[in-house]
Amino acid sequence: MVVDDEEVMRESLAAWLREDGYCVDTAVSGIEAIASARKQEYAIYFIDLKMPGGIDGIETMMEIRKTHPEASIIIVTAYATVDTAITAMKEGAQEYIVKPCNPEEISLLVGRIIKVKNLQRENTILRKKLTRQYSFHDIISKSPKMMDIFELVKDIASLRSTVLIQGESGTGKELIARAIHYSGERASKPFIGVSCAALAETLLESELFGHEKGSFTGATSQRRGKFEMADGGTIFLDEIGDISTKLQMDLLRVLQERKFYRVGGMEEIEVDVRVIAATNNNLEQAVRDGKFRDDLFYRLNVINIHIPPLRERREDIPLLAHHFVERISHELGKEVSGISEGGLKVLMNQNWPGNVRELENVIERAIVTCKARILTEEDFAFLTNNGNHSHEKKNWSVPTNMTLEEAENRIIAATLQRTHGNIKEAASILDIDRSTLYDKIKKYKLPRE
Amino acid sequence: MKAISIVALGEVDEESLSAVETGLWQSFGFDVRRTGLRSEPSDAYDAQRGQYSSVLILRDLVGYVSQEDVRLVGVTEKDLFIPMLSFVFGQAQLNGVAAVISLARLRQEFYGLPPNQPVLVSRSVKEAVHEVGHTFGLTHCTDATCPMSLSNNVRQVDMKGEDLCRNCSIILEENTKHIRARIQAGTEVRK
């Protein structure tokens, strides 16, 4: 678009650009240009700085930027001053040119801008294509293991069978549960999620099964539980490994008979609910240890889905990272368009004990603090400064003058120190379940931190 | 007889005019003729710039296009400009009827070099084909050797050939089909 109050100026520049094969519209004033910009997107605006009887070129530019932040705006003036040049550039002008200018200058400028825009558009299209191609119900992956899971999800979506999803924290267990629900016949019915670890036992019982008025202190009215709310649909029981023995029994009954009583209730309530459970514990080990009922385990584990940790599907890291950059930069209103090769290398070298959720948080932190439009290795320096995430295993000199128990003691102590006492993370690194780690901490009387 | 008409605006190098006549005939396949001498419109001169406005010259030329003109091309020795740019070698109406070219910056003398007639003649033909090409709907070509490629300086003009590239030739043929059909049918041609 060419915006200039002088007809000869406006039409001759438009004609010159049209000869170059561009589609060009013109506007006689800033107000007309803003109105046109609201209806249509223009790749480049040539806006005259001084336009009498209305708003000037910079004000026009600022208005257009509100609806088209990505537009390339060239301020044109015959009255060049340092102040106006600085103001124009500060307010977002791509270029500031003084007329008359050399034809070569305009040609090169327009050519350069168009080339960059074409590359950006191509980049966006390819990214969206990749995301669509590798996206399944908002789960982004191109890993063969995840592709198998997606196929399984499609196969089981319309079944009534209980599903047990196992995987480390942050691998997307709830996303898989939602994918199962929304791929099947229950999609139009409720999907109700419950975090079994978040609530104390008594509260969890009421949360799941509801309660009658007066059934306990604070129960001032009758309340429907999550099983009732999920009737016809799906209930997602997250962190199922953390529920008490009593609740395990109650849950077993619901799974067997599809019936339950509200807390303090006398009426048996029947529901048609598909149960999907998830855990980052080793439930088989918990069963062996007597901490989880084997009959409940077998009821839940009719269909088992194991989501691999991010470190076992590193090919997903660039895909996920770019997806998060696009989404988070848009949410935060920051112009960050990608990750440099060096930045990706840093990400690829991490172990990601927190998996996809951790990657998302890292990207968000990097975007918040970055100063440029591309995230580089400097923006991820906080990862390597911590020194505790690198995938590249440091050389570990194995001591040969101690017992196996002493070696185990030292390894566990070092890992706990590295994770600052985070049991979950330490267990993940050591590849043992948390209950085993707790036992060893007690055994060796190790401090948590 | 329907033809591309060439009009000299003021005194213009005769050899260049003659070469342009031949060049336009070879490139576009229409008859070409030379019409009478005219002068540049006085209001086209910008004293501050010391140049002539190609926009105003074109407007003037359009007023003189006749029924027998397939296209009308003005050739001047004066330096031309459009307001946005420091100069233009020529200007044309894209898909229109009129074009104008200037020999001023095609001369070696403009750059402080000794005159070179063959170079001037060759450059004149290329720029004339370029501007008339625009009147037939051709836009700038990415082939640097095609006369339709954009030239911002004489080096780029010299890199061009005088014959349209294959792509431009095909587009030209498509764009001029209806004109040729009407000429053959003996009816009025101009858009």
Side-chain angles (χ1 to χ4, degrees), chain A residues 9 19-20 100-101 103-104 107, chain B residues 84-86 139-140 150 152-153:
Chain A
M9 173 72 217
E19 283 178 1
D20 224 6
C101 62
E104 196 156 15
S107 273
Chain B
M84 182 68 191
L85 301 177
S86 54
T139 53
H140 290 149
L150 173 63
N152 291 314
N153 53 60

Side-chain angles (χ1 to χ4, degrees), chain B residues 4-59:
Chain B
I4 295 175
S5 296
I6 300 173
V7 57
L9 301 173
E11 291 292 331
V12 177
D13 180 69
E14 177 54 39
E15 197 181 345
S16 296
L17 279 175
S18 195
V20 163
E21 193 176 343
T22 309
L24 291 179
W25 172 73
Q26 282 178 336
S27 290
F28 298 105
F30 292 106
D31 289 331
V32 184
R33 61 165 164 253
R34 303 255 293 268
T35 65
L37 186 74
R38 295 193 54 77
S39 55
E40 300 89 356
S42 54
D43 63 347
Y45 181 66
D46 184 316
Q48 203 174 4
R49 292 180 70 145
Q51 295 171 298
Y52 282 78
S53 164
S54 57
V55 175
L56 297 180
I57 291 178
L58 266 184
R59 271 190 201 165

Side-chain angles (χ1 to χ4, degrees), chain A residues 156-436:
Chain A
I156 65 173
S158 291
L159 302 177
R160 208 183 173 196
S161 311
T162 317
V163 181
L164 178 63
I165 304 173
Q166 290 178 290
E168 291 178 9
S169 174
T171 48
K173 296 186 288 296
E174 182 168 343
L175 283 176
I176 292 289
R178 286 181 181 274
I180 294 169
H181 173 81
Y182 288 107
S183 299
E185 291 157 359
R186 293 175 183 258
S188 60
K189 299 291 184 185
F191 175 92
I192 304 291
V194 181
S195 172
C196 298
L199 297 167
E201 183 190 333
T202 46
L203 287 175
L204 183 58
E205 193 180 355
S206 167
E207 185 78 3
L208 289 173
F209 305 117
H211 60 249
E212 298 294 350
K213 182 180 172 182
S215 53
F216 55 85
T217 311
T220 52
S221 59
Q222 184 195 71
R223 189 172 179 263
R224 294 168 70 223
K226 292 286 185 350
F227 268 99
E228 274 184 88
M229 285 160 61
D231 193 16
T234 304
I235 190 166
F236 172 60
L237 303 172
D238 198 9
E239 299 177 52
I240 194 75
D242 291 344
I243 65 173
S244 65
T245 313
K246 181 185 181 299
L247 267 175
Q248 289 178 35
M249 276 172 49
D250 292 334
L251 192 55
L252 179 62
R253 184 162 181 270
V254 173
L255 288 175
Q256 284 173 331
E257 298 171 26
R258 309 274 167 194
K259 292 175 189 172
F260 61 91
Y261 294 93
R262 292 195 191 116
V263 175
M266 303 298 289
E267 182 193 347
E268 203 168 36
I269 298 169
E270 193 170 345
V271 289
D272 168 28
V273 174
R274 198 237 183 111
V275 175
I276 300 177
T279 180
N280 52 18
N281 294 342
N282 185 335
L283 271 193
E284 290 94 335
Q285 185 61 46
V287 167
R288 284 193 288 274
D289 293 343
K291 291 171 185 163
F292 201 86
R293 291 180 67 103
D294 56 353
D295 46 3
L296 175 59
F297 174 72
Y298 295 126
R299 279 280 172 183
L300 290 172
N301 199 35
V302 175
I303 298 171
N304 183 283
I305 296 178
H306 178 80
I307 305 178
L310 190 56
R311 64 184 172 279
E312 288 180 19
R313 44 183 178 108
R314 289 184 182 276
E315 64 270 37
D316 285 344
I317 293 173
L319 202 60
L320 286 161
H322 282 299
H323 167 73
F324 290 138
V325 165
E326 197 177 325
R327 201 198 78 212
I328 295 170
S329 62
H330 181 75
E331 283 171 6
L332 297 179
K334 283 200 84 168
E335 277 189 48
V336 178
S337 58
I339 307 174
S340 71
E341 213 172 295
L344 271 177
K345 205 176 164 193
V346 171
L347 297 178
M348 291 294 285
N349 281 338
Q350 303 309 305
N351 246 350
W352 304 111
N355 294 288
V356 179
R357 191 180 298 126
E358 185 185 359
L359 173 60
E360 185 181 358
N361 292 342
V362 161
I363 297 291
E364 183 170 352
R365 179 175 168 176
I367 288 175
V368 164
T369 56
C370 83
K371 301 278 183 287
R373 287 185 170 194
I374 300 280
L375 298 179
T376 65
E377 48 265 50
E378 280 81 29
D379 297 305
F380 298 114
F382 59 90
L383 284 173
T384 46
N385 285 345
N386 286 348
N388 58 3
H389 284 295
S390 179
H391 167 58
E392 292 160 353
K393 294 193 192 320
K394 295 186 172 44
N395 284 332
W396 175 266
S397 61
V398 180
T400 52
N401 58 346
M402 60 178 63
T403 64
L404 200 58
E405 266 195 3
E406 282 166 344
E408 190 182 60
N409 185 339
R410 279 182 64 175
I411 289 169
I412 294 173
T415 308
L416 281 171
Q417 193 177 25
R418 179 179 148 178
T419 63
H420 302 292
N422 187 316
I423 301 292
K424 213 185 228 184
E425 203 177 313
S428 168
I429 292 169
L430 292 166
D431 201 22
I432 55 177
D433 62 81
R434 279 187 290 178
S435 51
T436 307

Side-chain angles (χ1 to χ4, degrees), chain A residues 42-78:
Chain A
Y42 293 92
I44 304 177
Y45 293 79
F46 283 88
I47 304 179
D48 191 35
L49 179 63
K50 283 196 188 314
M51 288 185 284
I55 61 175
D56 70 10
I58 292 185
E59 287 164 324
T60 304
M61 173 176 67
M62 287 164 66
E63 271 306 309
I64 289 172
R65 279 241 174 277
K66 284 179 189 170
T67 42
H68 300 290
E70 72 296 337
S72 296
I73 300 183
I74 300 166
I75 295 291
V76 181
T77 181

Side-chain angles (χ1 to χ4, degrees), chain B:
Chain B
M1 173 190 77
K2 294 196 187 343
I4 295 175
S5 296
I6 300 173
V7 57
L9 301 173
E11 291 292 331
V12 177
D13 180 69
E14 177 54 39
E15 197 181 345
S16 296
L17 279 175
S18 195
V20 163
E21 193 176 343
T22 309
L24 291 179
W25 172 73
Q26 282 178 336
S27 290
F28 298 105
F30 292 106
D31 289 331
V32 184
R33 61 165 164 253
R34 303 255 293 268
T35 65
L37 186 74
R38 295 193 54 77
S39 55
E40 300 89 356
S42 54
D43 63 347
Y45 181 66
D46 184 316
Q48 203 174 4
R49 292 180 70 145
Q51 295 171 298
Y52 282 78
S53 164
S54 57
V55 175
L56 297 180
I57 291 178
L58 266 184
R59 271 190 201 165
D60 190 59
L61 283 173
V62 168
Y64 291 97
V65 172
S66 76
Q67 296 263 1
E68 296 302 302
D69 295 329
V70 173
R71 294 296 186 262
L72 181 61
V73 187
V75 183
T76 178
E77 290 277 1
K78 305 293 195 301
D79 194 19
L80 299 177
F81 77 95
I82 61 172
M84 182 68 191
L85 301 177
S86 54
F87 77 94
V88 288
F89 287 125
Q91 198 188 349
Q93 294 180 313
L94 187 63
N95 278 313
V97 294
V100 60
I101 68 163
S102 163
L103 306 192
R105 294 190 186 231
L106 302 180
R107 290 180 175 280
Q108 290 288 75
E109 303 93 286
F110 186 89
Y111 306 99
L113 297 170
N116 189 324
Q117 189 65 10
V119 164
L120 172 64
V121 168
S122 174
R123 288 172 180 171
S124 302
V125 172
K126 292 169 192 176
E127 287 309 294
V129 170
H130 181 98
E131 296 303 338
V132 173
H134 280 321
T135 67
F136 289 120
L138 298 179
T139 53
H140 290 149
C141 183
T142 53
D143 181 351
T145 63
C146 177
M148 287 314 301
S149 73
L150 173 63
S151 305
N152 291 314
N153 53 60
V154 283
R155 269 191 319 277
Q156 289 170 337
V157 176
D158 290 338
M159 272 179 62
K160 301 198 279 203
E162 293 178 17
D163 299 321
L164 293 172
C165 71
R166 191 167 175 277
N167 282 341
C168 290
S169 298
I170 292 170
I171 299 169
L172 176 73
E173 194 173 317
E174 194 54 39
N175 289 356
T176 54
K177 237 185 238 181
H178 67 287
I179 302 176
R180 296 183 203 284
R182 284 178 185 171
I183 289 176
Q184 271 198 323
T187 55
E188 186 177 325
V189 164
R190 270 188 302 111
K191 275 195 182 177

